[in-house]
Amino acid sequence: MSSIVDQIKDRVDIVDLISSYLKLQKSGINYKARCPFHNEKSASFFVSPERQIWHCFGCQAGGDVFGFVKQIEGVEFADALRTLAARAGIELHRQSPEYQQYQTARTKLYEICGLATRFFEKQLRESDAGKKVLAYLRDRGLADESIKNFRLGYAPDSWSALGDFLERNYESKDIFDAGLSVKKDGGGTSSAGGYGRSQHYDRFRSRIMFPIFDLNGQVVGFAGRVFGDLAKNAEAAKYVNTPQTAIYDKSRILYGLDKAKLDIRRKNKCLVVEGNMDVIMSHQAGAANVVASSGTALTDGHLKIIKRYTDNLDLCFDADSAGTLATDRGVDLALARGFNVGIVAIEPPVGEPSEPELKDPADYVKKYGPKWSEYSQNSRPFLEFYFETAKKTLDITTALGKKLLAQKLLPFLASMVNKVEQAHWVGEIALALKLKDDILFQEIAAAKPKGLEVQDEEPNQVKQPKENFDVFEEGLLALIMKKPDLVLDIRPEDEEFLSGRLAALVKDIGLSLNETRESPDSQSESRILDFSERNRDKKMMAQLTSAAGPESAMDLEFVYLKSQELWKDIEDDELAGEFKKILCQMKRRKVLARLEDLEFDIKSAEKSRNKELLATLTAEFSKVSKQLTQ
Ligand SMILES: [Zn+2]
């Protein structure tokens, strides 16, 4: 039986996998995209369906399906294995040694969250209180399909119902680690009901439960909205969220992204709203590119994730919160990340009367239904929005009004990455304030960027294989892979200029070429044909990677990908020319190094007045330097 890893590699296609994260573009037999692991304008990230690998020519990251999941999700191998196994439909059995090997504490947390989700769903459908919640949700405008899709549930009004249920299979410590229970504090608080069997009680009680999914649609945490009698208790928090756990990091999880990512890519635009209900209702209305930051303001971590899918970010503010500090900071961060930022303001559709109860997307969808789908896509550039709002609230004919407006808008202009856009807005604002552009530009220069330097993660996950080929070796090998006959151009006297590793690989290719040529029976004729088409490449790669060993096999894959991309549509004689050129450069490099050594030896021979040695060295020097002109 093949290993789980091999089974997964057989079943998960790398192009499918990567397309679920990035927009891939066909490029000959490969696919390309802008690299998700470094900032770049043109695409140097390539995916090879043939070899089932990916590689970025820019930042040198690369690998197979496992490497990709590890890097893009920022997880370790065990988690990548779990993600990919789920994708491949392979069950990691509890009994199998592999399962045990890879089952990490995190895996357990995923299981617990999954089980809790089912528990809450069942409570929603089957308990009396749950049925009231269901009626309430329907009354808010939620369709049953949305409730099912987003797996909404109900946490009963009990201190231990969930804990009792989960403890049949899991330790109370694990349940606590999943964020589902709270440690009983030494009995300081009032006699708040029974605590259940353990030293913990349920975190979520009498709440409508919104499971929070990661990018793969697995539940990692919950947001619970108060419901029922508890809602009347002024001390009860309206929302309770899962705290930070090993699988839930609220600064990196966007609510709804697992369901929105495809549409974000399709529309090349992402709309961030405030609440979970806003997300669900938006999706229900057909606006599927909508996400929310759950239980926190928009962070740079969120923006980095959105940036993998699009450069266009719209924010939807509640009427109340427009222009508040939290949203300002979101705009600021987004500008610093180079997003085109737009604002979707909630207003009734054209021709409809004004509506004081219309505050957020959920209200909008409840009232106007699918109209949201179109409305939500028509954002206004954020500065236009801010500018209009400020003009309405400030008297810009006064010096104070001018100063306040400038104070509000100029810091945004200062963090604008696009200078053309900046100049446009300087013009607009100068006109409105009846000031000269120059003065505003001076102000912008003086306006301190708000300390929002975008910090890019260390490329620490980009592992440089120890034995990377150097640039000449790589070039030469790439050419040979494209046109194996080129090895025949290597003269015996050139061989000393190749590194040992390259010489061995070249020899292997030469041997198989000769073998094919020297056996002119009918069988090998078909082998010659094979060797000239894609099968040839497959054979060659199989041979080379096994000869190179696991350490440098991936290096060879990268070189092969480069050979396909770099030498696409190049004529044979041009390839031969390039080959010669690189060979010459390698030779030159080696000769120059030798000359440098000799120069040093000559100097020390001069110092020690060793005439005999000096003569030998000088002769050697002139002999070696002649190689430069050969
Ligand atoms: Zn890259």
Side-chain angles (χ1 to χ4, degrees):
M1 201 186 101
S2 62
S3 75
I4 293 269
V5 169
D6 288 336
Q7 286 179 43
I8 286 174
K9 282 187 174 173
D10 278 349
R11 289 205 213 167
V12 176
D13 178 63
I14 196 149
V15 175
D16 287 346
L17 173 76
I18 296 183
S19 327
S20 66
Y21 293 89
L22 314 172
K23 204 174 355 179
L24 287 179
Q25 221 184 334
K26 193 106 177 81
S27 161
I29 60 169
N30 297 316
Y31 290 83
K32 64 179 177 180
R34 273 160 57 193
C35 178
F37 306 121
H38 82 279
N39 271 331
E40 62 173 1
K41 291 239 157 58
S42 60
S44 41
F45 177 93
F46 286 87
V47 181
S48 163
E50 179 197 347
R51 307 297 309 166
Q52 290 290 308
I53 57 137
W54 59 280
H55 180 50
C56 172
F57 297 169
C59 66
Q60 307 300 326
D64 56 13
V65 284
F66 289 94
F68 183 79
V69 171
K70 271 166 71 178
Q71 206 146 319
I72 198 135
E73 301 280 1
V75 297
E76 291 305 312
F77 180 75
D79 289 309
L81 182 86
R82 195 179 34 71
T83 302
L84 284 166
R87 205 181 167 95
I90 294 171
E91 270 191 57
L92 297 175
H93 287 292
R94 204 174 266 280
Q95 297 81 356
S96 82
E98 265 150 330
Y99 182 88
Q100 270 158 14
Q101 186 181 343
Y102 298 126
Q103 194 204 35
T104 58
R106 290 172 48 128
T107 315
K108 218 181 265 175
L109 301 191
Y110 282 107
E111 289 173 3
I112 291 173
C113 286
L115 208 54
T117 307
R118 289 213 291 277
F119 174 83
F120 294 138
E121 279 180 303
K122 202 170 149 70
Q123 291 292 324
L124 180 72
R125 311 245 159 230
E126 294 176 9
S127 74
D128 289 340
K131 284 175 187 159
K132 278 184 203 154
V133 173
L134 198 56
Y136 164 81
L137 291 173
R138 286 173 179 152
D139 185 55
R140 288 282 309 264
L142 278 180
D144 284 5
E145 207 194 327
S146 304
I147 296 172
K148 210 171 119 201
N149 261 343
F150 284 85
R151 304 194 61 188
L152 303 194
Y154 173 63
D157 192 0
S158 152
W159 294 91
S160 65
L162 178 70
D164 290 346
F165 170 74
L166 291 173
E167 275 182 20
R168 286 184 222 156
N169 292 302
Y170 294 95
E171 305 281 323
S172 57
K173 180 187 176 298
D174 298 328
I175 300 165
F176 175 76
D177 287 345
L180 287 165
S181 64
V182 178
K183 253 182 201 144
K184 196 161 119 180
D185 82 31
T189 48
S190 63
S191 58
Y195 278 130
R197 276 172 290 153
S198 65
Q199 292 305 303
H200 302 85
Y201 60 87
D202 291 355
R203 179 183 301 275
F204 299 100
R205 302 174 309 280
S206 189
R207 284 175 187 275
I208 304 170
M209 298 302 291
F210 297 83
I212 296 164
F213 303 89
D214 67 9
L215 269 176
N216 300 306
Q218 300 188 93
V219 178
V220 292
F222 297 89
R225 186 187 191 283
V226 71
F227 186 81
D229 289 342
L230 188 61
K232 291 172 201 148
N233 181 344
E235 278 172 39
K238 192 173 175 203
Y239 282 97
V240 168
N241 289 293
T242 298
Q244 190 90 0
T245 71
I247 59 173
Y248 177 61
D249 175 357
K250 67 180 174 186
S251 69
R252 291 181 56 90
I253 292 243
L254 285 151
Y255 184 73
L257 185 59
D258 58 310
K259 297 173 182 65
K261 57 188 179 184
L262 283 178
D263 204 51
I264 292 173
R265 204 173 292 128
R266 208 175 298 132
K267 295 193 174 117
N268 190 18
K269 187 192 268 198
C270 176
L271 174 61
V272 179
V273 296
E274 288 191 12
N276 299 346
M277 277 295 274
D278 299 326
V279 171
I280 303 176
M281 293 292 271
S282 290
H283 282 243
Q284 181 174 312
N289 63 334
V290 177
V291 300
S293 58
S294 195
T296 169
L298 207 56
T299 67
D300 194 45
H302 293 136
L303 292 169
K304 250 193 284 188
I305 293 167
I306 297 173
K307 193 83 185 188
R308 290 180 198 153
Y309 303 96
T310 182
D311 292 331
N312 302 304
L313 181 77
D314 288 344
L315 301 170
C316 183
F317 298 150
D318 282 11
D320 305 341
S321 65
T324 61
L325 268 180
T327 49
D328 280 2
R329 185 170 160 80
V331 169
D332 237 337
L333 284 168
L335 289 176
R337 275 262 159 221
F339 279 103
N340 304 311
V341 182
I343 304 287
V344 174
I346 302 285
E347 280 156 20
V350 182
E352 299 275 346
S354 78
E355 180 61 70
E357 286 304 296
L358 193 67
K359 285 193 174 143
D360 54 32
D363 295 336
Y364 192 107
V365 175
K366 190 185 173 197
K367 194 147 173 64
Y368 308 109
K371 277 188 184 159
W372 174 247
S373 167
E374 202 201 321
Y375 182 85
S376 65
Q377 305 309 314
N378 294 321
S379 58
R380 286 151 70 196
F382 88 96
L383 256 180
E384 182 186 309
F385 176 82
Y386 272 42
F387 195 25
E388 294 303 318
T389 315
K391 276 199 289 193
K392 269 183 227 160
T393 49
L394 299 170
D395 178 3
I396 56 168
T397 57
T398 66
L400 180 67
K402 285 181 191 188
K403 193 176 147 199
L404 288 176
L405 183 91
Q407 264 174 3
K408 173 89 186 165
L409 297 184
L410 293 186
F412 289 121
L413 289 181
S415 31
M416 252 179 201
V417 178
N418 186 330
K419 295 298 162 204
V420 177
E421 201 186 350
Q422 187 190 58
H424 165 81
W425 282 108
V426 166
E428 292 282 312
I429 295 168
L431 193 68
L433 298 184
K434 297 194 169 64
L435 290 173
K436 282 200 177 124
D437 287 12
D438 294 1
I439 296 176
L440 288 180
F441 275 118
Q442 279 167 24
E443 289 284 320
I444 288 172
K448 265 193 193 151
K450 294 181 183 169
L452 294 168
E453 300 273 298
V454 173
Q455 299 237 325
D456 272 307
E457 269 164 35
E458 296 273 305
N460 57 356
Q461 290 175 3
V462 181
K463 293 218 173 69
Q464 292 275 14
K466 269 179 283 169
E467 278 190 280
N468 249 349
F469 294 102
D470 73 41
V471 59
F472 293 134
E473 288 180 321
E474 191 183 275
L476 212 60
L477 205 48
L479 281 160
I480 295 171
M481 285 172 171
K482 181 78 186 171
K483 192 170 180 297
D485 287 6
L486 286 172
V487 294
L488 305 174
D489 289 356
I490 301 178
R491 296 170 300 175
E493 63 264 35
D494 294 332
E495 271 169 29
E496 62 165 307
F497 302 118
L498 306 178
S499 67
R501 183 157 75 128
L502 190 59
L505 289 172
V506 162
K507 203 170 146 208
D508 272 343
I509 296 173
L511 281 180
S512 51
L513 275 176
N514 286 329
E515 190 190 320
T516 324
R517 285 190 185 151
E518 282 164 8
S519 40
D521 53 72
S522 60
Q523 237 188 343
S524 74
E525 211 163 295
S526 66
R527 286 178 62 193
I528 292 174
L529 285 179
D530 262 6
F531 211 72
S532 66
E533 290 302 332
R534 191 164 311 168
N535 282 337
R536 173 209 74 188
D537 291 355
K538 262 192 195 148
K539 258 189 207 165
M540 181 179 62
M541 284 306 286
Q543 198 179 336
L544 286 179
T545 48
S546 76
E551 283 253 329
S552 31
M554 196 49 87
D555 284 1
L556 280 171
E557 297 282 4
F558 297 162
V559 174
Y560 177 64
L561 188 58
K562 241 180 207 172
S563 100
Q564 290 178 326
E565 289 302 326
L566 241 48
W567 309 118
K568 212 166 26 188
D569 316 318
I570 307 265
E571 299 291 333
D572 276 5
D573 49 344
E574 221 175 308
L575 292 177
E578 280 296 327
F579 188 79
K580 264 211 183 91
K581 221 190 280 172
I582 296 179
L583 212 53
C584 271
Q585 283 166 321
M586 288 180 84
K587 184 174 165 182
R588 199 180 149 76
R589 182 175 61 171
K590 200 119 186 189
V591 169
L592 286 174
R594 177 80 186 115
L595 289 176
E596 214 170 287
D597 282 353
L598 281 170
E599 220 177 297
F600 182 82
D601 291 346
I602 288 172
K603 270 188 192 142
S604 64
E606 275 171 347
K607 236 183 216 165
S608 59
R609 295 166 200 270
N610 186 339
K611 282 188 184 165
E612 218 169 298
L613 180 62
L614 193 62
T616 323
L617 288 172
T618 319
E620 174 76 6
F621 188 91
S622 85
K623 193 178 131 206
V624 173
S625 40
K626 273 185 194 129
Q627 290 184 314
L628 280 178
T629 51
Q630 265 169 17

